[in-house]
Amino acid sequence: MKMSKFKKVISGTVSALMIASSIPTVASAADQQTRGNIGGFDYEMWNQNGQGQASMTPKAGSFTCSWSNIENFLARMGKNYDSQKKNYKAFGDITLNYDVEYTPKGNSYMCVYGWTRNPLMEYYIVEGWGDWRPPGNDGENKGTVTLNGNTYDIRKTMRYNQPSLDGTATFPQYWSVRKTSGSANNQTNYMKGTISVSKHFEAWEKAGLDMSGTLYEVSLNIEGYRSNGSANVKSISFGASPDTQTDTTVTTPADQGDNGGGMNFGGFGGDNGGGMNFGGFGGDNGGGMNFGGFGGDNG
């Protein structure tokens, strides 16, 4: 999907009114997307083919969303750094604090999400999921890291000749996925915590992953694939937060005695590897988030 710049999307009168009044955005058209900025927070909702029922109500630093009978659905809010064209290290210690009521009913997850450019890379820091742990059994194991009291598996996956922020491209995906989900399926999960985003980036570098690109965005992201669910993101904030349980030591696969696995990631485990071609907060040439299905029946 080809998209215009984020700033262009929010320049129209209709978008401005929507931002001012926080009117729920309801999916009704093919590949419906709604983007905006409210109170200094960039947000976006995406619903593939406008299937089923989906909505997002954004406010400054918070939003609610729900979805049912969808193909792929995404709602996210955070900060877009693209105009500054700087590496993540230039922004100091980026931390994201969240307070979320998350109710997955099937295949869904809650994560921090974003991109870098030059080189292009898509990333995920996964805090909780419904009935499927991404990225399944696939992926190249890069070790583990313990941050903010939780241990995460570090993995690298690849996307080949797929839509991205910069048109069709081949690019890696980096993952930090909690060993134990912060959520359970078919119930409301009260999730509150801090994600030391920059520390994850540092851990990926220590694990041999290339973090030399310019930071595009850092967002709290709620997603669903062929499922139902809802979330009340009560607050999102950026900045320092007390953290007495941080260990930035990366345990490599060699230390673990684990050779990892190769991966051809069709994207969150869909049957046919279809799915999200998502332009991520309005990149120059669109494309963006490319899940091959976000966890199908056999994921």
Side-chain angles (χ1 to χ4, degrees), residues 88 140-145 152-156 174-176 199-211 248-256:
Y88 79 90
E140 183 181 351
N141 183 14
K142 291 295 183 178
T144 64
V145 64
Y152 298 78
D153 289 320
I154 301 172
R155 305 187 80 85
K156 177 184 178 181
Y174 299 166
W175 299 79
S176 284
K199 293 292 192 294
H200 281 275
F201 294 166
E202 291 171 7
W204 296 343
E205 279 191 310
K206 290 179 182 178
L209 301 178
D210 185 356
M211 286 298 300
T248 56
T249 301
V250 176
T251 303
T252 66
D255 296 330
Q256 297 171 326

PDB file of all heavy atoms in Angstrom, residues 88 140-145 152-156 174-176 199-211 248-256:
ATOM      1  N   TYR A  88      19.232   6.060  17.460  1.00  0.00           N
ATOM      2  CA  TYR A  88      18.539   6.032  18.754  1.00  0.00           C
ATOM      3  C   TYR A  88      19.396   6.586  19.884  1.00  0.00           C
ATOM      4  O   TYR A  88      18.878   7.145  20.857  1.00  0.00           O
ATOM      5  CB  TYR A  88      18.089   4.606  19.079  1.00  0.00           C
ATOM      6  CG  TYR A  88      19.158   3.690  19.617  1.00  0.00           C
ATOM      7  CD1 TYR A  88      19.394   3.587  20.985  1.00  0.00           C
ATOM      8  CD2 TYR A  88      19.945   2.907  18.770  1.00  0.00           C
ATOM      9  CE1 TYR A  88      20.371   2.744  21.488  1.00  0.00           C
ATOM     10  CE2 TYR A  88      20.923   2.065  19.268  1.00  0.00           C
ATOM     11  CZ  TYR A  88      21.134   1.989  20.625  1.00  0.00           C
ATOM     12  OH  TYR A  88      22.097   1.153  21.119  1.00  0.00           O
ATOM     13  N   GLU A 140      15.874 -16.811  14.050  1.00  0.00           N
ATOM     14  CA  GLU A 140      17.275 -17.016  14.405  1.00  0.00           C
ATOM     15  C   GLU A 140      17.481 -16.558  15.847  1.00  0.00           C
ATOM     16  O   GLU A 140      17.279 -15.385  16.170  1.00  0.00           O
ATOM     17  CB  GLU A 140      18.160 -16.205  13.455  1.00  0.00           C
ATOM     18  CG  GLU A 140      19.637 -16.392  13.686  1.00  0.00           C
ATOM     19  CD  GLU A 140      20.465 -15.558  12.734  1.00  0.00           C
ATOM     20  OE1 GLU A 140      19.884 -14.980  11.792  1.00  0.00           O
ATOM     21  OE2 GLU A 140      21.689 -15.484  12.944  1.00  0.00           O
ATOM     22  N   ASN A 141      17.871 -17.494  16.699  1.00  0.00           N
ATOM     23  CA  ASN A 141      18.035 -17.199  18.116  1.00  0.00           C
ATOM     24  C   ASN A 141      19.304 -16.389  18.344  1.00  0.00           C
ATOM     25  O   ASN A 141      20.402 -16.801  17.969  1.00  0.00           O
ATOM     26  CB  ASN A 141      18.099 -18.513  18.897  1.00  0.00           C
ATOM     27  CG  ASN A 141      18.207 -18.304  20.390  1.00  0.00           C
ATOM     28  OD1 ASN A 141      17.981 -17.215  20.897  1.00  0.00           O
ATOM     29  ND2 ASN A 141      18.545 -19.373  21.102  1.00  0.00           N
ATOM     30  N   LYS A 142      19.165 -15.224  18.993  1.00  0.00           N
ATOM     31  CA  LYS A 142      20.311 -14.365  19.266  1.00  0.00           C
ATOM     32  C   LYS A 142      20.611 -14.247  20.755  1.00  0.00           C
ATOM     33  O   LYS A 142      21.420 -13.415  21.154  1.00  0.00           O
ATOM     34  CB  LYS A 142      20.058 -12.969  18.669  1.00  0.00           C
ATOM     35  CG  LYS A 142      20.058 -12.942  17.146  1.00  0.00           C
ATOM     36  CD  LYS A 142      21.439 -13.294  16.590  1.00  0.00           C
ATOM     37  CE  LYS A 142      21.481 -13.200  15.095  1.00  0.00           C
ATOM     38  NZ  LYS A 142      22.843 -13.488  14.562  1.00  0.00           N
ATOM     39  N   GLY A 143      19.953 -15.053  21.576  1.00  0.00           N
ATOM     40  CA  GLY A 143      20.233 -15.030  23.001  1.00  0.00           C
ATOM     41  C   GLY A 143      19.071 -14.519  23.814  1.00  0.00           C
ATOM     42  O   GLY A 143      17.921 -14.479  23.354  1.00  0.00           O
ATOM     43  N   THR A 144      19.358 -14.110  25.042  1.00  0.00           N
ATOM     44  CA  THR A 144      18.341 -13.572  25.938  1.00  0.00           C
ATOM     45  C   THR A 144      18.886 -12.340  26.635  1.00  0.00           C
ATOM     46  O   THR A 144      20.095 -12.129  26.718  1.00  0.00           O
ATOM     47  CB  THR A 144      17.919 -14.599  27.009  1.00  0.00           C
ATOM     48  OG1 THR A 144      19.043 -14.904  27.845  1.00  0.00           O
ATOM     49  CG2 THR A 144      17.385 -15.875  26.379  1.00  0.00           C
ATOM     50  N   VAL A 145      17.970 -11.533  27.157  1.00  0.00           N
ATOM     51  CA  VAL A 145      18.349 -10.381  27.965  1.00  0.00           C
ATOM     52  C   VAL A 145      17.288 -10.190  29.041  1.00  0.00           C
ATOM     53  O   VAL A 145      16.102 -10.455  28.808  1.00  0.00           O
ATOM     54  CB  VAL A 145      18.499  -9.102  27.112  1.00  0.00           C
ATOM     55  CG1 VAL A 145      17.161  -8.685  26.494  1.00  0.00           C
ATOM     56  CG2 VAL A 145      19.088  -7.951  27.924  1.00  0.00           C
ATOM     57  N   TYR A 152      13.744 -11.834  28.191  1.00  0.00           N
ATOM     58  CA  TYR A 152      13.262 -11.825  26.810  1.00  0.00           C
ATOM     59  C   TYR A 152      14.167 -12.676  25.927  1.00  0.00           C
ATOM     60  O   TYR A 152      15.389 -12.642  26.068  1.00  0.00           O
ATOM     61  CB  TYR A 152      13.280 -10.403  26.239  1.00  0.00           C
ATOM     62  CG  TYR A 152      12.387  -9.409  26.938  1.00  0.00           C
ATOM     63  CD1 TYR A 152      12.759  -8.838  28.146  1.00  0.00           C
ATOM     64  CD2 TYR A 152      11.172  -9.008  26.366  1.00  0.00           C
ATOM     65  CE1 TYR A 152      11.957  -7.900  28.782  1.00  0.00           C
ATOM     66  CE2 TYR A 152      10.364  -8.072  26.993  1.00  0.00           C
ATOM     67  CZ  TYR A 152      10.761  -7.522  28.204  1.00  0.00           C
ATOM     68  OH  TYR A 152       9.970  -6.596  28.820  1.00  0.00           O
ATOM     69  N   ASP A 153      13.559 -13.409  25.007  1.00  0.00           N
ATOM     70  CA  ASP A 153      14.303 -14.048  23.932  1.00  0.00           C
ATOM     71  C   ASP A 153      14.545 -13.024  22.832  1.00  0.00           C
ATOM     72  O   ASP A 153      13.623 -12.311  22.421  1.00  0.00           O
ATOM     73  CB  ASP A 153      13.518 -15.231  23.348  1.00  0.00           C
ATOM     74  CG  ASP A 153      13.450 -16.405  24.309  1.00  0.00           C
ATOM     75  OD1 ASP A 153      14.470 -16.682  24.977  1.00  0.00           O
ATOM     76  OD2 ASP A 153      12.393 -17.045  24.382  1.00  0.00           O
ATOM     77  N   ILE A 154      15.786 -12.954  22.358  1.00  0.00           N
ATOM     78  CA  ILE A 154      16.137 -12.067  21.248  1.00  0.00           C
ATOM     79  C   ILE A 154      16.180 -12.905  19.975  1.00  0.00           C
ATOM     80  O   ILE A 154      16.854 -13.939  19.927  1.00  0.00           O
ATOM     81  CB  ILE A 154      17.510 -11.408  21.476  1.00  0.00           C
ATOM     82  CG1 ILE A 154      17.507 -10.589  22.767  1.00  0.00           C
ATOM     83  CG2 ILE A 154      17.894 -10.534  20.287  1.00  0.00           C
ATOM     84  CD1 ILE A 154      18.880 -10.064  23.163  1.00  0.00           C
ATOM     85  N   ARG A 155      15.454 -12.470  18.962  1.00  0.00           N
ATOM     86  CA  ARG A 155      15.409 -13.223  17.714  1.00  0.00           C
ATOM     87  C   ARG A 155      15.514 -12.277  16.530  1.00  0.00           C
ATOM     88  O   ARG A 155      15.182 -11.087  16.627  1.00  0.00           O
ATOM     89  CB  ARG A 155      14.121 -14.050  17.619  1.00  0.00           C
ATOM     90  CG  ARG A 155      13.903 -14.985  18.798  1.00  0.00           C
ATOM     91  CD  ARG A 155      12.715 -15.909  18.594  1.00  0.00           C
ATOM     92  NE  ARG A 155      13.041 -17.036  17.743  1.00  0.00           N
ATOM     93  CZ  ARG A 155      13.603 -18.165  18.183  1.00  0.00           C
ATOM     94  NH1 ARG A 155      13.941 -18.281  19.459  1.00  0.00           N
ATOM     95  NH2 ARG A 155      13.832 -19.164  17.368  1.00  0.00           N
ATOM     96  N   LYS A 156      15.962 -12.819  15.426  1.00  0.00           N
ATOM     97  CA  LYS A 156      16.040 -12.074  14.173  1.00  0.00           C
ATOM     98  C   LYS A 156      15.298 -12.862  13.101  1.00  0.00           C
ATOM     99  O   LYS A 156      15.485 -14.067  12.956  1.00  0.00           O
ATOM    100  CB  LYS A 156      17.487 -11.866  13.746  1.00  0.00           C
ATOM    101  CG  LYS A 156      17.630 -11.166  12.403  1.00  0.00           C
ATOM    102  CD  LYS A 156      19.094 -11.069  11.965  1.00  0.00           C
ATOM    103  CE  LYS A 156      19.226 -10.415  10.595  1.00  0.00           C
ATOM    104  NZ  LYS A 156      20.648 -10.350  10.159  1.00  0.00           N
ATOM    105  N   TYR A 174      13.731  -7.466  14.191  1.00  0.00           N
ATOM    106  CA  TYR A 174      14.343  -7.807  15.470  1.00  0.00           C
ATOM    107  C   TYR A 174      13.249  -7.947  16.516  1.00  0.00           C
ATOM    108  O   TYR A 174      12.307  -7.143  16.557  1.00  0.00           O
ATOM    109  CB  TYR A 174      15.319  -6.721  15.931  1.00  0.00           C
ATOM    110  CG  TYR A 174      16.488  -6.456  15.006  1.00  0.00           C
ATOM    111  CD1 TYR A 174      17.267  -5.302  15.186  1.00  0.00           C
ATOM    112  CD2 TYR A 174      16.830  -7.318  13.964  1.00  0.00           C
ATOM    113  CE1 TYR A 174      18.341  -5.043  14.355  1.00  0.00           C
ATOM    114  CE2 TYR A 174      17.900  -7.058  13.124  1.00  0.00           C
ATOM    115  CZ  TYR A 174      18.655  -5.911  13.320  1.00  0.00           C
ATOM    116  OH  TYR A 174      19.719  -5.635  12.497  1.00  0.00           O
ATOM    117  N   TRP A 175      13.413  -8.945  17.373  1.00  0.00           N
ATOM    118  CA  TRP A 175      12.402  -9.243  18.371  1.00  0.00           C
ATOM    119  C   TRP A 175      13.015  -9.377  19.760  1.00  0.00           C
ATOM    120  O   TRP A 175      14.057 -10.007  19.917  1.00  0.00           O
ATOM    121  CB  TRP A 175      11.720 -10.579  18.074  1.00  0.00           C
ATOM    122  CG  TRP A 175      10.994 -10.696  16.777  1.00  0.00           C
ATOM    123  CD1 TRP A 175      11.535 -10.913  15.546  1.00  0.00           C
ATOM    124  CD2 TRP A 175       9.581 -10.633  16.587  1.00  0.00           C
ATOM    125  NE1 TRP A 175      10.548 -10.989  14.597  1.00  0.00           N
ATOM    126  CE2 TRP A 175       9.337 -10.817  15.206  1.00  0.00           C
ATOM    127  CE3 TRP A 175       8.499 -10.447  17.447  1.00  0.00           C
ATOM    128  CZ2 TRP A 175       8.056 -10.818  14.678  1.00  0.00           C
ATOM    129  CZ3 TRP A 175       7.215 -10.445  16.912  1.00  0.00           C
ATOM    130  CH2 TRP A 175       7.005 -10.632  15.541  1.00  0.00           C
ATOM    131  N   SER A 176      12.369  -8.805  20.754  1.00  0.00           N
ATOM    132  CA  SER A 176      12.533  -9.197  22.154  1.00  0.00           C
ATOM    133  C   SER A 176      11.161  -9.684  22.604  1.00  0.00           C
ATOM    134  O   SER A 176      10.194  -8.919  22.571  1.00  0.00           O
ATOM    135  CB  SER A 176      12.965  -8.019  23.031  1.00  0.00           C
ATOM    136  OG  SER A 176      14.327  -7.699  22.862  1.00  0.00           O
ATOM    137  N   LYS A 199      17.567   0.195  26.113  1.00  0.00           N
ATOM    138  CA  LYS A 199      18.321  -0.943  26.635  1.00  0.00           C
ATOM    139  C   LYS A 199      18.105  -2.189  25.765  1.00  0.00           C
ATOM    140  O   LYS A 199      19.016  -3.006  25.590  1.00  0.00           O
ATOM    141  CB  LYS A 199      17.928  -1.221  28.074  1.00  0.00           C
ATOM    142  CG  LYS A 199      18.322  -0.138  29.069  1.00  0.00           C
ATOM    143  CD  LYS A 199      19.829  -0.058  29.228  1.00  0.00           C
ATOM    144  CE  LYS A 199      20.239   0.807  30.417  1.00  0.00           C
ATOM    145  NZ  LYS A 199      19.898   2.227  30.273  1.00  0.00           N
ATOM    146  N   HIS A 200      16.916  -2.351  25.220  1.00  0.00           N
ATOM    147  CA  HIS A 200      16.687  -3.440  24.270  1.00  0.00           C
ATOM    148  C   HIS A 200      17.534  -3.224  23.025  1.00  0.00           C
ATOM    149  O   HIS A 200      18.144  -4.170  22.503  1.00  0.00           O
ATOM    150  CB  HIS A 200      15.207  -3.531  23.899  1.00  0.00           C
ATOM    151  CG  HIS A 200      14.376  -4.216  24.929  1.00  0.00           C
ATOM    152  ND1 HIS A 200      14.223  -5.585  24.989  1.00  0.00           N
ATOM    153  CD2 HIS A 200      13.640  -3.713  25.959  1.00  0.00           C
ATOM    154  CE1 HIS A 200      13.432  -5.905  25.999  1.00  0.00           C
ATOM    155  NE2 HIS A 200      13.063  -4.786  26.601  1.00  0.00           N
ATOM    156  N   PHE A 201      17.576  -1.980  22.543  1.00  0.00           N
ATOM    157  CA  PHE A 201      18.398  -1.679  21.372  1.00  0.00           C
ATOM    158  C   PHE A 201      19.865  -2.025  21.654  1.00  0.00           C
ATOM    159  O   PHE A 201      20.552  -2.616  20.812  1.00  0.00           O
ATOM    160  CB  PHE A 201      18.277  -0.202  21.007  1.00  0.00           C
ATOM    161  CG  PHE A 201      16.912   0.219  20.528  1.00  0.00           C
ATOM    162  CD1 PHE A 201      16.598   1.575  20.440  1.00  0.00           C
ATOM    163  CD2 PHE A 201      15.942  -0.698  20.162  1.00  0.00           C
ATOM    164  CE1 PHE A 201      15.351   1.996  19.987  1.00  0.00           C
ATOM    165  CE2 PHE A 201      14.685  -0.296  19.722  1.00  0.00           C
ATOM    166  CZ  PHE A 201      14.394   1.064  19.641  1.00  0.00           C
ATOM    167  N   GLU A 202      20.352  -1.655  22.833  1.00  0.00           N
ATOM    168  CA  GLU A 202      21.733  -1.959  23.204  1.00  0.00           C
ATOM    169  C   GLU A 202      21.960  -3.462  23.266  1.00  0.00           C
ATOM    170  O   GLU A 202      23.011  -3.973  22.845  1.00  0.00           O
ATOM    171  CB  GLU A 202      22.057  -1.321  24.554  1.00  0.00           C
ATOM    172  CG  GLU A 202      22.117   0.200  24.527  1.00  0.00           C
ATOM    173  CD  GLU A 202      22.233   0.798  25.923  1.00  0.00           C
ATOM    174  OE1 GLU A 202      22.394   0.024  26.895  1.00  0.00           O
ATOM    175  OE2 GLU A 202      22.166   2.041  26.043  1.00  0.00           O
ATOM    176  N   ALA A 203      20.969  -4.191  23.817  1.00  0.00           N
ATOM    177  CA  ALA A 203      21.091  -5.646  23.901  1.00  0.00           C
ATOM    178  C   ALA A 203      21.165  -6.262  22.514  1.00  0.00           C
ATOM    179  O   ALA A 203      21.923  -7.220  22.283  1.00  0.00           O
ATOM    180  CB  ALA A 203      19.911  -6.225  24.680  1.00  0.00           C
ATOM    181  N   TRP A 204      20.375  -5.727  21.578  1.00  0.00           N
ATOM    182  CA  TRP A 204      20.428  -6.245  20.214  1.00  0.00           C
ATOM    183  C   TRP A 204      21.804  -6.013  19.597  1.00  0.00           C
ATOM    184  O   TRP A 204      22.334  -6.880  18.909  1.00  0.00           O
ATOM    185  CB  TRP A 204      19.334  -5.597  19.369  1.00  0.00           C
ATOM    186  CG  TRP A 204      17.945  -5.937  19.853  1.00  0.00           C
ATOM    187  CD1 TRP A 204      17.586  -6.949  20.696  1.00  0.00           C
ATOM    188  CD2 TRP A 204      16.734  -5.257  19.520  1.00  0.00           C
ATOM    189  NE1 TRP A 204      16.225  -6.939  20.917  1.00  0.00           N
ATOM    190  CE2 TRP A 204      15.675  -5.907  20.206  1.00  0.00           C
ATOM    191  CE3 TRP A 204      16.437  -4.148  18.720  1.00  0.00           C
ATOM    192  CZ2 TRP A 204      14.346  -5.497  20.098  1.00  0.00           C
ATOM    193  CZ3 TRP A 204      15.109  -3.743  18.620  1.00  0.00           C
ATOM    194  CH2 TRP A 204      14.081  -4.408  19.295  1.00  0.00           C
ATOM    195  N   GLU A 205      22.382  -4.844  19.863  1.00  0.00           N
ATOM    196  CA  GLU A 205      23.733  -4.582  19.364  1.00  0.00           C
ATOM    197  C   GLU A 205      24.734  -5.568  19.955  1.00  0.00           C
ATOM    198  O   GLU A 205      25.591  -6.101  19.246  1.00  0.00           O
ATOM    199  CB  GLU A 205      24.155  -3.153  19.713  1.00  0.00           C
ATOM    200  CG  GLU A 205      23.610  -2.108  18.763  1.00  0.00           C
ATOM    201  CD  GLU A 205      24.253  -0.750  18.967  1.00  0.00           C
ATOM    202  OE1 GLU A 205      24.310  -0.286  20.124  1.00  0.00           O
ATOM    203  OE2 GLU A 205      24.698  -0.155  17.963  1.00  0.00           O
ATOM    204  N   LYS A 206      24.634  -5.811  21.249  1.00  0.00           N
ATOM    205  CA  LYS A 206      25.533  -6.754  21.909  1.00  0.00           C
ATOM    206  C   LYS A 206      25.375  -8.155  21.335  1.00  0.00           C
ATOM    207  O   LYS A 206      26.323  -8.953  21.339  1.00  0.00           O
ATOM    208  CB  LYS A 206      25.277  -6.780  23.411  1.00  0.00           C
ATOM    209  CG  LYS A 206      25.711  -5.517  24.137  1.00  0.00           C
ATOM    210  CD  LYS A 206      25.390  -5.608  25.634  1.00  0.00           C
ATOM    211  CE  LYS A 206      25.779  -4.329  26.367  1.00  0.00           C
ATOM    212  NZ  LYS A 206      25.432  -4.403  27.817  1.00  0.00           N
ATOM    213  N   ALA A 207      24.177  -8.460  20.858  1.00  0.00           N
ATOM    214  CA  ALA A 207      23.906  -9.769  20.270  1.00  0.00           C
ATOM    215  C   ALA A 207      24.325  -9.841  18.799  1.00  0.00           C
ATOM    216  O   ALA A 207      24.108 -10.856  18.144  1.00  0.00           O
ATOM    217  CB  ALA A 207      22.421 -10.107  20.400  1.00  0.00           C
ATOM    218  N   GLY A 208      24.913  -8.761  18.291  1.00  0.00           N
ATOM    219  CA  GLY A 208      25.416  -8.762  16.924  1.00  0.00           C
ATOM    220  C   GLY A 208      24.454  -8.242  15.884  1.00  0.00           C
ATOM    221  O   GLY A 208      24.706  -8.379  14.675  1.00  0.00           O
ATOM    222  N   LEU A 209      23.358  -7.606  16.312  1.00  0.00           N
ATOM    223  CA  LEU A 209      22.388  -7.060  15.371  1.00  0.00           C
ATOM    224  C   LEU A 209      22.736  -5.607  15.042  1.00  0.00           C
ATOM    225  O   LEU A 209      23.211  -4.861  15.896  1.00  0.00           O
ATOM    226  CB  LEU A 209      20.978  -7.150  15.946  1.00  0.00           C
ATOM    227  CG  LEU A 209      20.507  -8.574  16.304  1.00  0.00           C
ATOM    228  CD1 LEU A 209      19.111  -8.543  16.924  1.00  0.00           C
ATOM    229  CD2 LEU A 209      20.514  -9.470  15.063  1.00  0.00           C
ATOM    230  N   ASP A 210      22.489  -5.217  13.824  1.00  0.00           N
ATOM    231  CA  ASP A 210      22.867  -3.891  13.339  1.00  0.00           C
ATOM    232  C   ASP A 210      21.841  -2.855  13.789  1.00  0.00           C
ATOM    233  O   ASP A 210      20.687  -2.877  13.364  1.00  0.00           O
ATOM    234  CB  ASP A 210      22.952  -3.911  11.806  1.00  0.00           C
ATOM    235  CG  ASP A 210      23.467  -2.604  11.220  1.00  0.00           C
ATOM    236  OD1 ASP A 210      23.701  -1.649  11.980  1.00  0.00           O
ATOM    237  OD2 ASP A 210      23.631  -2.546   9.985  1.00  0.00           O
ATOM    238  N   MET A 211      22.272  -1.937  14.661  1.00  0.00           N
ATOM    239  CA  MET A 211      21.398  -0.871  15.132  1.00  0.00           C
ATOM    240  C   MET A 211      21.936   0.499  14.707  1.00  0.00           C
ATOM    241  O   MET A 211      21.756   1.494  15.403  1.00  0.00           O
ATOM    242  CB  MET A 211      21.256  -0.939  16.656  1.00  0.00           C
ATOM    243  CG  MET A 211      20.387  -2.073  17.158  1.00  0.00           C
ATOM    244  SD  MET A 211      18.677  -1.960  16.602  1.00  0.00           S
ATOM    245  CE  MET A 211      18.180  -0.384  17.292  1.00  0.00           C
ATOM    246  N   THR A 248      21.481  -5.783  31.914  1.00  0.00           N
ATOM    247  CA  THR A 248      21.658  -5.660  30.462  1.00  0.00           C
ATOM    248  C   THR A 248      22.612  -6.704  29.907  1.00  0.00           C
ATOM    249  O   THR A 248      23.038  -6.615  28.770  1.00  0.00           O
ATOM    250  CB  THR A 248      22.177  -4.256  30.099  1.00  0.00           C
ATOM    251  OG1 THR A 248      23.394  -4.011  30.818  1.00  0.00           O
ATOM    252  CG2 THR A 248      21.161  -3.197  30.449  1.00  0.00           C
ATOM    253  N   THR A 249      22.972  -7.708  30.717  1.00  0.00           N
ATOM    254  CA  THR A 249      23.823  -8.777  30.226  1.00  0.00           C
ATOM    255  C   THR A 249      23.063  -9.627  29.212  1.00  0.00           C
ATOM    256  O   THR A 249      21.963 -10.109  29.486  1.00  0.00           O
ATOM    257  CB  THR A 249      24.299  -9.669  31.386  1.00  0.00           C
ATOM    258  OG1 THR A 249      25.014  -8.868  32.319  1.00  0.00           O
ATOM    259  CG2 THR A 249      25.204 -10.784  30.873  1.00  0.00           C
ATOM    260  N   VAL A 250      23.654  -9.789  28.046  1.00  0.00           N
ATOM    261  CA  VAL A 250      23.049 -10.614  27.011  1.00  0.00           C
ATOM    262  C   VAL A 250      23.651 -12.008  27.067  1.00  0.00           C
ATOM    263  O   VAL A 250      24.868 -12.168  27.029  1.00  0.00           O
ATOM    264  CB  VAL A 250      23.276 -10.001  25.615  1.00  0.00           C
ATOM    265  CG1 VAL A 250      22.728 -10.923  24.534  1.00  0.00           C
ATOM    266  CG2 VAL A 250      22.627  -8.630  25.533  1.00  0.00           C
ATOM    267  N   THR A 251      22.828 -13.011  27.199  1.00  0.00           N
ATOM    268  CA  THR A 251      23.257 -14.393  27.123  1.00  0.00           C
ATOM    269  C   THR A 251      23.115 -14.856  25.688  1.00  0.00           C
ATOM    270  O   THR A 251      22.021 -14.842  25.138  1.00  0.00           O
ATOM    271  CB  THR A 251      22.407 -15.297  28.046  1.00  0.00           C
ATOM    272  OG1 THR A 251      22.484 -14.799  29.381  1.00  0.00           O
ATOM    273  CG2 THR A 251      22.912 -16.724  28.013  1.00  0.00           C
ATOM    274  N   THR A 252      24.212 -15.221  25.069  1.00  0.00           N
ATOM    275  CA  THR A 252      24.206 -15.563  23.655  1.00  0.00           C
ATOM    276  C   THR A 252      23.777 -17.006  23.446  1.00  0.00           C
ATOM    277  O   THR A 252      23.814 -17.812  24.378  1.00  0.00           O
ATOM    278  CB  THR A 252      25.600 -15.362  23.044  1.00  0.00           C
ATOM    279  OG1 THR A 252      26.492 -16.316  23.639  1.00  0.00           O
ATOM    280  CG2 THR A 252      26.112 -13.950  23.296  1.00  0.00           C
ATOM    281  N   PRO A 253      23.404 -17.382  22.232  1.00  0.00           N
ATOM    282  CA  PRO A 253      23.065 -18.782  21.955  1.00  0.00           C
ATOM    283  C   PRO A 253      24.198 -19.737  22.297  1.00  0.00           C
ATOM    284  O   PRO A 253      23.970 -20.845  22.757  1.00  0.00           O
ATOM    285  CB  PRO A 253      22.765 -18.775  20.455  1.00  0.00           C
ATOM    286  CG  PRO A 253      22.300 -17.390  20.181  1.00  0.00           C
ATOM    287  CD  PRO A 253      23.137 -16.517  21.091  1.00  0.00           C
ATOM    288  N   ALA A 254      25.465 -19.307  22.089  1.00  0.00           N
ATOM    289  CA  ALA A 254      26.594 -20.169  22.424  1.00  0.00           C
ATOM    290  C   ALA A 254      26.626 -20.443  23.922  1.00  0.00           C
ATOM    291  O   ALA A 254      26.892 -21.558  24.369  1.00  0.00           O
ATOM    292  CB  ALA A 254      27.903 -19.520  21.978  1.00  0.00           C
ATOM    293  N   ASP A 255      26.332 -19.404  24.721  1.00  0.00           N
ATOM    294  CA  ASP A 255      26.279 -19.583  26.166  1.00  0.00           C
ATOM    295  C   ASP A 255      25.175 -20.553  26.563  1.00  0.00           C
ATOM    296  O   ASP A 255      25.292 -21.292  27.534  1.00  0.00           O
ATOM    297  CB  ASP A 255      26.037 -18.247  26.872  1.00  0.00           C
ATOM    298  CG  ASP A 255      27.178 -17.266  26.667  1.00  0.00           C
ATOM    299  OD1 ASP A 255      28.321 -17.731  26.514  1.00  0.00           O
ATOM    300  OD2 ASP A 255      26.911 -16.052  26.657  1.00  0.00           O
ATOM    301  N   GLN A 256      24.087 -20.511  25.783  1.00  0.00           N
ATOM    302  CA  GLN A 256      22.928 -21.341  26.096  1.00  0.00           C
ATOM    303  C   GLN A 256      23.074 -22.762  25.564  1.00  0.00           C
ATOM    304  O   GLN A 256      22.290 -23.636  25.897  1.00  0.00           O
ATOM    305  CB  GLN A 256      21.658 -20.730  25.485  1.00  0.00           C
ATOM    306  CG  GLN A 256      21.312 -19.369  26.049  1.00  0.00           C
ATOM    307  CD  GLN A 256      20.187 -18.720  25.272  1.00  0.00           C
ATOM    308  OE1 GLN A 256      20.068 -18.893  24.056  1.00  0.00           O
ATOM    309  NE2 GLN A 256      19.362 -17.969  25.954  1.00  0.00           N
TER     310      GLN A 256
END
